Amino acid sequence: MLRLAARAASALAVASALALTATTPALADPLVLPAATDIVGVGTGVTETLFTQFSTDYNAFLAASGDTTSARLFSWDSAGTPSQVITKAGATPIIRPDRTSAALSALNATTRSTLDFVRTTRVPNANDLPGDLFVAFAKDAVSWAAPAGGNAPQNLTTSDLSNIYNCRVTNWKQIDSALPDATIVPVLAGHLSVDRSGVTGAPMESSEFLLKAINYPPAGTDGPSDRSCVRVVERGEQGWDALLHDPNAIVPYSVGHYVGQVYGGHSRPGDDPVTLTVRGIDGIASVNTADRRISPPFANTSYGRWLFNVVRQADWSNTSTTNALHQVFGTTGWICRNPTAAAAIKSYGFLTLPVGACGSTRHA
């Protein structure tokens, strides 16, 4: 009863707090303020709708089993209003992180009284703190998308993509003489600047991944060539920007997120491919349209990627919190072993990991 009363009070508190700073609520943020002991995360937009579903399903699972004491699971979207959010009862307000790097900074600048995990689409790198523990849970892939009925072909090679984003190839006829005589419009998503030396700034995860996959040289390291042909949109995994309606536009795209949007029915305003369709690379289709999922041969190329949740190593190992985190994210936890979680992963377009791989951990 005390927990239920606390949640009712929390709901009133968050409503009051948000009313002071917002006019429009985010699309799928928690409907009540999570309790101080709940498991709360932020991070990449690629898996945020899946985690909204996880939250609903996991909390219902606990309720159905009569469990009124275990920590509930909640996830905040990467975009929306207010821009400053109170993530749980008693938390320090934070600016809503819109990508992995910003979310990790928030995780490392706070304690579990504010955040417990970060959604991410990338493996650890040398810039991550040793205390950031990456816990695997599913698999995705990154390809490129273009408007249906536009001038882009169904397949580009890695070399084609490198030449396009480095502005060495600027016309479709340079790819194939049978293609239209039209200027290619390469697009990236993120907080980016572009000039003759190339792209700088903070790309969204799928754009960052594709640039690494095609060995895009850092700005200023590719000699005197002009690499200013790249255009920029703020958000990834969407086709709403007018720039992406150009029949010659191409943009990096999470294949799993696309499958969830198109085949799983998990799209919403601003989170919808609109006319974009995901294409193949190096002769391998990215989507198995018959099975309505990521093509396993494509996922097994260098364009495949694992999906993780990042927790603090200290929280993961702490006996006062380990049960709550492991109960959700561990190798025998709900995400890795519950059939409802597996169904959600597939419905939202991603591939499940084998037993033992799901819930496995790694450091920078």
Side-chain angles (χ1 to χ4, degrees):
M1 289 298 293
L2 289 175
R3 185 177 180 92
L4 292 176
R7 288 187 180 280
S10 293
L12 179 59
V14 75
S16 299
L18 296 185
L20 295 175
T21 56
T23 55
T24 305
L27 291 171
D29 288 336
L31 297 179
V32 299
L33 185 66
T37 55
D38 286 336
I39 300 171
V40 177
V42 294
T44 177
V46 172
T47 58
E48 69 185 19
T49 52
L50 170 59
F51 264 81
T52 297
Q53 189 65 57
F54 276 168
S55 173
T56 299
D57 293 343
Y58 180 69
N59 296 343
F61 165 77
L62 293 179
S65 65
D67 185 338
T68 61
T69 59
S70 290
R72 268 47 181 175
L73 177 67
F74 295 97
S75 179
W76 290 83
D77 273 2
S78 61
T81 53
S83 59
Q84 185 180 76
V85 293
I86 301 169
T87 54
K88 60 168 76 176
T92 300
I94 61 170
I95 299 299
R96 184 191 298 269
D98 65 354
R99 60 194 184 284
T100 293
S101 58
L104 284 176
S105 294
L107 183 77
N108 292 321
T110 60
T111 67
R112 63 178 183 267
S113 64
T114 298
L115 287 173
D116 300 279
F117 72 95
V118 164
R119 307 180 304 267
T120 185
T121 63
R122 68 163 175 82
V123 296
N125 65 39
N127 295 321
D128 295 325
L129 297 183
D132 293 338
L133 187 68
F134 286 63
V135 187
F137 78 95
K139 191 168 186 180
D140 186 22
V142 173
S143 191
W144 60 282
N151 292 327
Q154 290 301 308
N155 178 81
L156 290 170
T157 66
T158 297
S159 178
D160 290 335
L161 288 165
S162 178
N163 285 330
I164 288 170
Y165 277 98
N166 282 288
C167 308
R168 294 187 290 264
V169 166
T170 59
N171 191 292
W172 289 119
K173 280 196 170 295
Q174 293 173 268
I175 300 291
D176 185 335
S177 60
L179 292 174
D181 181 9
T183 300
I184 304 170
V185 181
V187 180
L188 294 172
H191 306 291
L192 303 168
S193 298
V194 182
D195 59 24
R196 288 181 60 87
S197 67
V199 177
T200 57
M204 291 300 178
E205 286 90 344
S206 296
S207 290
E208 181 179 29
F209 185 95
L210 189 77
L211 290 179
K212 289 180 179 178
I214 64 174
N215 295 314
Y216 182 87
T221 63
D222 196 38
S225 60
D226 183 354
R227 296 197 290 166
S228 62
C229 69
V230 177
R231 307 288 297 278
V232 176
V233 295
E234 183 176 348
R235 301 285 298 170
E237 280 69 52
Q238 54 84 22
W240 284 69
D241 279 88
L243 181 58
L244 299 174
H245 302 168
D246 188 307
N248 300 297
I250 69 169
V251 65
Y253 216 101
S254 159
V255 181
H257 197 82
Y258 174 84
V259 170
Q261 289 170 326
V262 173
Y263 297 113
H266 305 301
S267 61
R268 53 188 181 172
D271 183 15
D272 187 320
V274 190
T275 66
L276 294 180
T277 61
V278 171
R279 313 295 171 92
I281 301 177
D282 294 330
I284 305 175
S286 58
V287 177
N288 182 324
T289 55
D291 291 341
R292 298 186 168 192
R293 63 173 182 159
I294 302 170
S295 166
F298 188 81
N300 290 331
T301 70
S302 60
Y303 292 96
R305 63 180 178 184
W306 280 21
L307 302 175
F308 298 87
N309 295 296
V310 186
V311 299
R312 302 178 190 88
Q313 175 70 69
D315 292 346
W316 187 258
S317 304
N318 190 323
T319 56
S320 67
T321 59
T322 186
N323 287 341
L325 292 174
H326 284 255
Q327 186 175 336
V328 177
F329 302 118
T331 54
T332 60
W334 183 84
I335 288 177
C336 292
R337 294 299 182 93
N338 189 282
T340 301
I345 290 171
K346 293 175 183 177
S347 177
Y348 282 80
F350 305 108
L351 302 176
T352 56
L353 292 177
V355 172
C358 182
S360 62
T361 63
R362 59 181 77 177
H363 288 280

